[in-house]
Amino acid sequence: MKIFISSDMEGTAGIVHWDETEKGKDGYDHFSQQMTREVAAACEGANAAGATEIFVKDAHDSARNINPELLPENVRIFREWGRHPYSMMAGLDESFDGVFFTGYHSAAGMNTNPLSHTMNTQNMYIKINGEICSELMLNSMTAAYLGIPVYMVTGDKGLCEWMKTKCPGTTVVPVSEGFGAGSISLHPSKAVKLIRENAEKALLANKKDCMYPLPEKFNVEICFKKHMKASGAKWYPGCRQTGVYTVEFDAVDYMDVLKFIYWVL
């Protein structure tokens, strides 16, 4: 059994400030260690359920946050960025049996994480087919595009609750709950314990119940914070500017959506 883990940081237990997510800033060392512990727990749970190979994508900021020495020996880790439209899912292919997401956070346009954003902090929101789009949505659709189920998501409560509406069979582990500019978090060791336990149980789920629903066609809307971003984006083939801050793009093939977001966002 081959498992892919995409790991972000803003949904790690306890994080409430951007400084805690950026190398060299106050709090980063502690929370990069906690991020590593949560990833390791997911790996250990997957191994207990029978995983033979685990591939981890460090998918936050520099993509150099996880300490590989603290992961099980059957793990391969992709650090830095692959310059590929799969982005946070780079390295994924049809050979994988399932996906985990750890440390994921709510989207730009959601008020359930003090660090809510989607891909970067330059947009007010991204919508796909009229729905606010998180990084989890984008990456779950990448998995579905390749026919791979999402077995577990860890992160903030708002994102976890949203995921259950899409994939009832997917196991979710909320480790914090956004509250204005702050959050209420589990004890870091309890978060690690719950992730380890749930990762093992998650792989018993029905694959069909964990497959993110992939639309037949896509309308992507991006609302930028600065008008000049929209002015520049409209030059991407097929992109049209629909407002001072907004652009839209239509596609049938999801790979075209990923390419658009990769180049425009």
Side-chain angles (χ1 to χ4, degrees):
M1 181 166 56
K2 191 174 177 182
I3 299 300
F4 184 98
I5 300 178
S6 176
S7 182
D8 204 356
M9 194 172 189
E10 291 90 354
T12 300
I15 284 183
V16 295
H17 195 280
W18 290 112
D19 285 358
E20 297 167 344
T21 73
E22 297 180 24
K23 278 182 174 292
K25 293 191 175 181
D26 186 44
Y28 173 81
D29 289 345
H30 168 79
F31 286 105
S32 63
Q33 180 181 1
Q34 180 64 17
M35 176 186 181
T36 299
R37 293 176 68 205
E38 292 183 13
V39 174
C43 293
E44 290 162 6
N47 282 338
T52 54
E53 182 179 345
I54 300 173
F55 186 103
V56 172
K57 176 69 187 89
D58 188 326
H60 170 72
D61 196 43
S62 68
R64 293 181 287 114
N65 308 284
I66 299 167
N67 182 350
E69 290 184 344
L70 300 182
L71 304 182
E73 290 187 6
N74 67 328
V75 172
R76 291 188 299 149
I77 185 168
F78 187 164
R79 303 175 72 239
E80 253 287 358
W81 294 102
R83 303 300 188 268
H84 189 283
Y86 281 4
S87 186
M88 300 171 76
M89 302 296 281
L92 185 70
D93 60 33
E94 292 91 341
S95 69
F96 286 89
D97 297 293
V99 168
F100 288 172
F101 295 106
T102 64
Y104 267 60
H105 55 83
S106 293
M110 294 175 67
N111 64 355
T112 45
N113 187 312
L115 305 181
S116 292
H117 68 282
T118 303
M119 301 308 289
N120 57 46
T121 58
Q122 298 180 40
N123 62 84
M124 295 296 292
Y125 63 77
I126 300 172
K127 292 182 179 180
I128 292 184
N129 296 344
E131 181 177 3
I132 290 288
C133 177
S134 62
E135 293 165 17
L136 178 61
M137 178 193 277
L138 288 172
N139 297 335
S140 294
M141 286 200 283
T142 299
Y145 184 66
L146 297 174
I148 305 169
V150 177
Y151 283 115
M152 186 178 73
V153 173
T154 81
D156 65 67
K157 182 180 178 182
L159 187 73
C160 288
E161 289 179 344
W162 171 86
M163 188 62 175
K164 291 298 281 187
T165 69
K166 295 293 183 178
C167 293
T170 297
T171 295
V172 298
V173 186
V175 299
S176 64
E177 180 179 0
F179 196 96
S183 73
I184 302 166
S185 176
L186 298 181
H187 187 284
S189 294
K190 183 173 183 179
V192 168
K193 180 182 178 182
L194 287 174
I195 291 169
R196 163 64 178 77
E197 292 173 352
N198 281 280
E200 181 175 357
K201 296 174 185 176
L203 292 175
L204 299 174
N206 187 312
K207 174 180 177 179
K208 187 166 59 176
D209 293 336
C210 300
M211 192 70 70
Y212 191 90
L214 194 67
E216 293 183 0
K217 57 183 180 179
F218 307 87
N219 170 262
V220 185
E221 179 185 352
I222 301 175
C223 179
F224 293 103
K225 291 182 179 179
K226 295 184 178 180
H227 62 81
M228 62 282 291
K229 290 287 292 181
S231 297
K234 70 183 179 185
W235 298 106
Y236 184 88
C239 179
R240 60 192 185 277
Q241 186 168 4
T242 54
V244 175
Y245 298 98
T246 56
V247 296
E248 292 189 36
F249 178 79
D250 295 312
V252 174
D253 189 330
Y254 186 60
M255 189 62 179
D256 290 333
V257 172
L258 293 176
K259 291 176 182 177
F260 168 69
I261 289 172
Y262 178 79
W263 287 109
V264 168
L265 194 58

